[in-house]
Amino acid sequence: ATLGDAIADGTAVPRPQPPDPAGRRALLRYLRDASTAARPAGLHEALLVLWASQHLEMLRGMEAHLVDEAVRAATELSRPAAALG
C-alpha cells in the first residue's frame, strides 16, 4: 500500500522491505507441526499459508523493479509538457 500511496500522492517511493527470516522460520515450524498432526485439515490450511507466502515472496522479488518504474514514471510526470515531446 505504501508504494501505491507514493505513486498516487507523488511522494518519495519507499525502499523495498527486507525479507523477514523470523517469519520464514515460523512458517516452516507451522508446516512441520501441521504435517505431523492427526488433523488432515490442519495440513491443508498450512499448505494454503505456504502457497500465499510464496506469492508474497514473488511480489517481494518484483518490488525493486516496481520501485524503479515508479521513480521513472514520477520523473516523467514532473517534466514540463514541452519537454516530453
Side-chain angles (χ1 to χ4, degrees), residues 35-84:
S35 68
T36 59
R39 195 173 133 249
L43 179 57
H44 177 75
E45 292 163 0
L47 290 173
L48 288 175
V49 171
L50 175 63
W51 180 68
S53 75
Q54 293 301 306
H55 280 78
L56 291 173
E57 284 301 315
M58 278 188 353
L59 290 173
R60 183 183 312 282
M62 294 171 49
E63 190 173 14
H65 172 71
L66 293 172
V67 167
D68 291 343
E69 289 300 314
V71 168
R72 185 185 60 73
T75 301
E76 287 183 19
L77 287 174
S78 65
R79 288 186 195 163
L84 294 176

